[in-house]
Each structure stands twice: as structure tokens, then as C-alpha cells.
Amino acid sequence: MPILVEACVDSVASALAAERGGAGRVELCDNLFDGGTTPSAGMISAVKAAVRIPVFVIVRPRGGGFVYTDDEIGVMRLDIEAAKMLGADGVVIGALTPDARVNVEQLRTLVVAAGHLSVTFHRAFDLTQDRPQALEALMQYGVARVLTSGGAPTALEGIEAIAALARRAAGQIVVMAGGGVREETVQEIVHRTGVSEVHVRGTRLARTPMTPAPDGIRLRKSPPPDEGAWEETDERRIRDYVRLANG
């Protein structure tokens, strides 16, 4: 049986390139520099109209860690409903507890919201403290597949753990290898783990045709070095801005 290659994309152009290259599915994201967040409704609709292969939409309200508030889960539920209405073939989710276990209550909520859509649990899985236990939870709550590097920085480094998870899954859930998969490593990863699906990025550098920006102007910011951190609006600082601007 052919190995399915899932390409992680963030645009119509990338989705089309993945399809032309033979990818069997795309995972559609926004903000890939921050690990991927939920794409816009317009992007989901445009990609679905452009390609014939399945489109799985990541549902992640922000970068940073995977411990979510009730408000964030509410947003994720609405994003899943929107993805369904726009024709998505699957959703990609993940939610953990503060002690690095699968948050089964939030998982249940999101799986129910997904309804008929195929559900993938993303690499939040690699941050869990007990991956075999986490795998059992995902199988119990109807998750179709899990994306994993075996808890290592890359799938190649986690190759033995991925193989063990694939054996443990025993056909009850798809174990998809991902994380730093390259052309020179993909064959070894497939052969040594026995997985039937791999997740890749496979990009090239593209540049705007616009004249370069003046020196010193940078609109991009680097993400926080702490993987579990993100930026939120600070009420106190906004209050200070308002007071000082009107002083």
C-alpha cells in the first residue's frame, strides 16, 4: 500500500504545489512560524476550491502551549463548525492538562464538535509525559490519527518510539510520523517505523516582488524563546497608553 504523504501548507499556492507533487492530503494552517494556528475562513474556502485532495484544518487559537481556557475551547468549537461548513475533510486538534496529559474533557468536546470529520491529534502529543497512556486516551475518544516525532526533536531521532507507538496502535489509530522529516530521512523513517503516513513541510524560500523595505524597518517579530509562551494584551499597559496619550 502506498505511503500517504501529508504536506503542511499555509496558502493556495502551497496546497496546489503539494497536490501536483503527489501529496495525498494537506494540513492547512496559518502562522507556521509559530507552529501553526487556525487559518481564516477565506483561506479554507479557497484551498478547498483549488485542490481535489483532502484538506485537514488545524484548529489552534494561538501559538504557545496547549493548555486552554474554557473561552479558548469555545473559540475552537466555533472554528470546527466553520471548517465543517466550508467543506474541510478533517480537523487537527490538541489539548493538554497542566501536568502534561491529554485533557480528555476538552478532547471529548472537540471530537463531538467535529462530528463526521476525521480528527488528528497534533504534536501536542509529543509533550505528554506518558505517550502510551496518551495514545490509549486518543483511541478511547475516537481520534483517527496522531502526529508524532516519538517525543523527540525530530522523527528520525524518535524513530524507535514511533515504531513502538505504531505497534501499540495495532490499527486502532493511525500513527503518522512527523517532525523534521527530510528527503534524506523519510525512507528510513517509513521502513523502520512501519507507519503508513508521514507529515512533511517541504518548502522553498519565496520572496515578494516588491522593492525591499528601507533599512531598519522590520514588521516581523521573533516568537518568544519559551515554546510555552505567547503574547497577550496587558490591561495595565493599555491603561497607561491611554492616560499618557491624553495627558
Side-chain angles (χ1 to χ4, degrees):
M1 185 175 69
I3 303 301
L4 185 144
V5 174
E6 176 185 86
C8 185
V9 303
D10 60 357
S11 68
V12 175
S14 287
L16 285 167
E19 182 177 55
R20 292 194 301 268
R25 182 173 65 234
V26 294
E27 180 196 55
L28 181 61
C29 305
D30 197 4
N31 295 314
L32 282 170
F33 285 112
D34 204 6
T37 58
T38 309
S40 71
M43 183 61 73
I44 297 170
S45 182
V47 169
K48 275 298 299 179
V51 301
R52 297 180 301 276
I53 58 178
V55 176
F56 283 15
V57 173
I58 194 169
V59 176
R60 186 180 177 216
R62 55 162 171 76
F66 302 100
V67 177
Y68 296 117
T69 65
D70 289 343
D71 285 342
E72 288 172 323
I73 292 296
V75 170
M76 294 168 78
R77 287 182 60 219
L78 292 171
D79 281 335
I80 289 172
E81 292 296 334
K84 279 198 293 189
M85 288 189 293
L86 294 167
D89 302 286
V91 290
V92 182
I93 62 171
L96 303 180
T97 62
D99 63 347
R101 299 179 186 276
V102 173
N103 189 319
V104 294
E105 294 302 320
Q106 292 181 343
L107 175 64
R108 182 190 298 116
T109 295
L110 298 176
V111 169
V112 169
H116 68 278
L117 296 184
S118 183
V119 175
T120 300
F121 198 93
H122 54 52
R123 285 193 62 203
F125 179 84
D126 288 323
L127 304 183
T128 59
Q129 61 173 319
D130 186 334
R131 286 182 295 279
Q133 181 185 67
L135 189 70
E136 294 295 329
L138 300 187
M139 291 190 289
Q140 179 180 351
Y141 288 96
V143 173
R145 66 182 44 73
V146 58
L147 172 61
T148 181
S149 64
T154 69
L156 185 63
E157 293 169 273
I159 204 164
E160 297 301 334
I162 297 170
L165 288 166
R167 290 192 297 270
R168 191 181 189 97
Q172 298 178 68
I173 184 172
V174 175
V175 174
M176 177 167 56
V181 177
R182 300 288 185 265
E183 292 92 327
E184 61 269 21
T185 62
V186 63
Q187 194 170 68
E188 180 180 0
I189 290 167
V190 168
H191 288 173
R192 289 179 57 188
T193 62
V195 298
S196 60
E197 299 187 5
V198 291
H199 175 93
V200 305
R201 187 78 176 91
T203 59
R204 60 180 176 83
L205 200 62
R207 286 186 171 85
T208 176
M210 191 184 78
T211 302
D215 288 344
I217 296 181
R218 295 189 61 84
L219 303 183
R220 273 183 178 158
K221 287 180 63 178
S222 298
D226 179 354
E227 279 281 320
W230 66 95
E231 292 188 350
E232 285 186 342
T233 300
D234 185 327
E235 177 185 339
R236 180 191 58 79
R237 293 190 66 193
I238 298 299
R239 188 179 295 112
D240 287 343
Y241 280 119
V242 172
R243 174 180 57 79
L244 292 166
N246 288 279

